[in-house]
């Protein structure tokens, strides 16, 4: 097949964040058997070496400049964008990334019949797919998470940056998700929860669940248990859900754990830490490390990986990566979404916690019981090997591109 993949996020190197990891690994798999053209946008921090690295992974790489970030503009422009959202139904977060040049190129490429399939890697790219494309080729949207469900969850958990705005936006996002999904021959979701949400809006759509995966070479299983009282969180630290996670854990959970285990440390590892995260470095035991050459190396040094997410839908790469590396995981419902970790019919693969007292109990159990750490380490790695590799995800994605039922 000739496949055109659209990604307004530059998906290389695949350590930049969850969106990039998923996009890169799926295009890498499809490129083995099909002709893949990737149309993407280059942000200011993308190096020439990174462009060259991505070019080696696809048959054709077409790069457009990222439009200037309009979020920093004045109140008049913001009102204008909201007016467009109200009338036309496209959220400002999608319009912010929209490139007229990229649209023209996509239209011409499809018009010339140069692809059999067009995939939108993340729903933000749906804007480039015209409704009539469906008549001449297979159109796929890879929904990393439902925008409506994410907004609803942020309001419910009280972590919305602007609750008044999000309350107004919620019904508009519902309409938006319903409308854009109708343009596609097939929809891909990362979890059953997202599938159910999207199916409500689009009962006649073909929706396939394809979870995230892990590169087992980049995240090898650890060889020894370091013991100690060292906690770690991994993830892009300019992401709202991750910022909320580490602030919640640092302020409400860690001090309680340190009452029982005074030498407990908490490493926050991930690129672009914002001021709110950097400020946590001043607290006892907290180390804000930013971007590191090898995430696996830092995971292997940790006693436990915590994933205290309170919002953000979809399977969390960070949870899978920690399990792949053989690190015991303590995580919230959101951090464990899409994973069977603590049900009676399966081995115990992680400990679940949502409230501060539950985190203290779970972490204390793991600090005190090497055998429990060993059990979670083994079972977590085994789960990833059996169900969550990028080869498994890539095969499923290829079947969707070919138009075959899963």
């Amino acid at each position: 097949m000739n496949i055109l993949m659209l990604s307004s996020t530059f998906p290389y190197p695949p350590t930049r964040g969850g969106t990039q990891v998923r996009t890169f690994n799926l295009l890498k798999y499809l490129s083995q058997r099909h002709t893949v053209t990737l149309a993407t946008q280059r942000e200011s921090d993308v190096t020439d070496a990174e462009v060259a690295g991505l070019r080696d992974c696809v048959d054709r790489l077409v790069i457009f400049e990222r439009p200037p970030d309009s979020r920093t503009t004045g109140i008049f422009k913001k009102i204008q964008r909201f007016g467009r959202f109200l009338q036309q139904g496209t959220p400002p977060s999608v319009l912010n990334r929209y490139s007229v040049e990229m649209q023209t190129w996509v239209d011409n490429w499809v018009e010339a019949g140069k692809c059999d399939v067009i995939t939108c890697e993340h729903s933000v790219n749906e804007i480039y797919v015209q409704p009539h494309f469906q008549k001449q080729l297979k159109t796929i949207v890879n929904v990393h998470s439902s925008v409506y469900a994410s907004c609803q969850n942020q309001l419910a958990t009280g972590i919305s940056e602007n609750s008044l705005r999000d309350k107004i936006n919620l019904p508009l996002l519902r309409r938006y998700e319903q409308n854009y999904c109708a343009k596609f021959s097939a929809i891909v979701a990362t979890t059953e929860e997202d599938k159910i949400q999207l199916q409500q809006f689009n009962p006649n759509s073909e929706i396939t669940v394809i979870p995230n995966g892990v590169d087992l070479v980049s995240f090898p299983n650890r060889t020894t248990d370091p013991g100690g009282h060292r906690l770690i969180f991994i993830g892009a630290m300019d992401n709202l859900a991750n910022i909320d996670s580490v602030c919640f854990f640092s302020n409400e959970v860690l001090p309680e754990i340190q009452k029982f285990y005074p030498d407990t440390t908490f490493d926050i590892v991930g690129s672009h830490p914002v001021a709110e995260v950097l400020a946590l470095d001043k607290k006892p035991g907290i180390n804000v490390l930013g971007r590191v050459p090898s995430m696996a190396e830092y995971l292997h040094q940790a006693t436990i990986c915590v994933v205290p997410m309170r919002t953000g839908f979809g399977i969390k790469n960070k949870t899978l990566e920690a399990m792949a590396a053989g690190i015991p995981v303590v995580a919230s419902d959101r951090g464990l979404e899409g994973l069977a970790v603590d049900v009676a019919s399966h081995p115990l693969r992680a400990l679940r916690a949502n409230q501060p007292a539950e985190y203290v109990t779970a972490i204390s159990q793991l600090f005190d019981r090497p055998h429990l750490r060993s059990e979670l380490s083994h079972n977590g790695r085994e789960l990833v090997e059996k169900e969550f590799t990028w080869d498994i995800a890539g095969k499923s994605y290829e079947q969707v591109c070919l138009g075959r039922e899963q």
Side-chain angles (χ1 to χ4, degrees):
M1 289 183 296
N2 289 311
I3 302 171
L4 171 60
M5 300 181 82
L6 304 179
S7 175
S8 59
T9 305
F10 193 84
Y12 193 87
T15 49
R16 283 174 175 264
T19 298
Q20 292 93 325
V21 170
R22 184 170 172 89
T23 302
F24 174 77
N25 283 286
L26 292 177
L27 75 83
K28 184 179 164 189
Y29 185 90
L30 291 176
S31 293
Q32 294 169 24
R33 296 170 182 77
H34 308 282
T35 303
V36 173
T37 298
L38 175 69
T40 187
Q41 292 178 359
R42 181 175 184 170
E43 294 163 51
S44 56
D45 61 343
V46 173
T47 66
D48 290 344
E50 288 168 347
V51 170
L54 183 56
R55 187 166 273 124
D56 286 343
C57 301
V58 290
D59 293 274
R60 183 183 170 101
L61 178 63
V62 187
I63 299 177
F64 299 88
E65 288 303 312
R66 176 80 179 268
D69 193 340
S70 57
R71 285 175 297 182
T72 55
T73 53
I75 189 72
F76 179 70
K77 287 280 185 191
K78 288 180 179 175
I79 292 168
Q80 231 179 9
R81 284 199 305 278
F82 180 72
R84 284 183 70 183
F85 186 15
L86 210 55
Q87 288 180 317
Q88 299 170 15
T90 306
S93 58
V94 176
L95 294 171
N96 281 338
R97 294 168 177 259
Y98 181 65
S99 160
V100 176
E101 292 78 14
M102 188 164 160
Q103 181 72 70
T104 303
W105 185 89
V106 170
D107 290 348
N108 291 339
W109 192 258
V110 172
E111 189 66 33
K114 293 188 176 178
C115 55
D116 311 303
V117 180
I118 185 168
T119 76
C120 293
E121 303 306 317
H122 198 293
S123 56
V124 76
N125 299 286
E126 63 74 24
I127 194 167
Y128 297 106
V129 172
Q130 311 278 13
H132 68 264
F133 285 2
Q134 247 191 100
K135 292 173 186 167
Q136 56 196 106
L137 72 164
K138 179 103 179 172
T139 54
I140 299 166
V141 60
N142 187 355
V143 182
H144 291 202
S145 64
S146 161
V147 288
Y148 170 78
S150 295
C151 181
Q152 191 178 45
N153 181 248
Q154 285 178 13
L155 283 168
T157 52
I159 75 144
S160 169
E161 284 181 311
N162 185 331
S163 58
L164 177 62
R165 177 201 64 195
D166 286 348
K167 280 174 186 170
I168 295 167
N169 281 353
L170 195 61
L172 300 176
L173 287 171
R174 182 188 176 97
R175 181 186 68 179
Y176 165 68
E177 204 149 70
Q178 198 163 9
N179 289 346
Y180 88 67
C181 283
K183 295 190 297 184
F184 291 91
S185 325
I187 299 168
V188 171
T190 62
T191 66
E192 284 294 337
E193 192 172 352
D194 261 358
K195 178 180 177 176
I196 291 163
Q197 176 69 73
L198 293 164
Q199 201 98 60
Q200 281 177 8
F201 297 161
N202 309 273
N204 301 319
S205 294
E206 174 199 321
I207 304 178
T208 306
V209 174
I210 301 178
N212 285 343
V214 179
D215 177 351
L216 297 178
V217 175
S218 300
F219 290 90
N221 199 2
R222 73 178 185 188
T223 51
T224 56
D225 176 355
H229 303 128
R230 191 165 175 178
L231 306 173
I232 190 171
F233 176 92
I234 61 172
M237 288 323 308
D238 55 354
N239 172 281
L240 179 64
N242 289 345
I243 295 165
D244 174 72
S245 294
V246 296
C247 289
F248 159 71
F249 190 83
S250 300
N251 294 324
E252 298 188 39
V253 181
L254 185 64
E256 296 304 310
I257 292 166
Q258 288 170 332
K259 286 177 185 175
F260 301 98
Y261 307 91
D263 63 337
T264 301
T265 60
F266 180 38
D267 292 342
I268 299 170
V269 184
S271 57
H272 307 301
V274 298
E276 198 177 349
V277 174
L278 290 169
L280 297 174
D281 198 63
K282 298 184 177 70
K283 290 178 176 283
I286 298 181
N287 307 300
V288 179
L289 297 166
R291 190 174 177 179
V292 295
S294 167
M295 201 71 91
E297 193 180 312
Y298 280 82
L299 283 167
H300 287 162
Q301 293 166 12
T303 322
I304 302 166
C305 180
V306 292
V307 191
M309 312 293 289
R310 299 196 293 179
T311 187
F313 278 66
I315 285 186
K316 305 301 177 291
N317 280 51
K318 56 177 67 64
T319 306
L320 293 176
E321 288 165 355
M323 286 180 168
I327 316 307
V329 170
V330 175
S332 64
D333 293 342
R334 291 264 73 87
L336 295 172
E337 187 184 342
L339 304 175
V341 298
D342 53 357
V343 290
S345 54
H346 295 284
L348 185 65
R349 292 152 170 168
L351 299 186
R352 189 181 300 267
N354 289 294
Q355 301 305 319
E358 294 170 345
Y359 281 102
V360 174
T361 300
I363 289 166
S364 299
Q365 282 182 325
L366 285 168
F367 277 169
D368 295 343
R369 295 167 60 188
H371 285 299
L372 181 59
R373 292 200 301 272
S374 176
E375 182 186 347
L376 296 192
S377 175
H378 174 268
N379 293 344
R381 173 73 185 192
E382 190 177 61
L383 172 68
V384 173
E385 287 176 346
K386 284 183 178 173
E387 296 181 33
F388 297 101
T389 68
W390 285 118
D391 263 5
I392 295 168
K395 260 177 216 156
S396 298
Y397 204 42
E398 182 183 40
Q399 294 305 302
V400 174
C401 290
L402 290 164
R404 293 175 185 162
E405 291 295 319
Q406 293 294 292

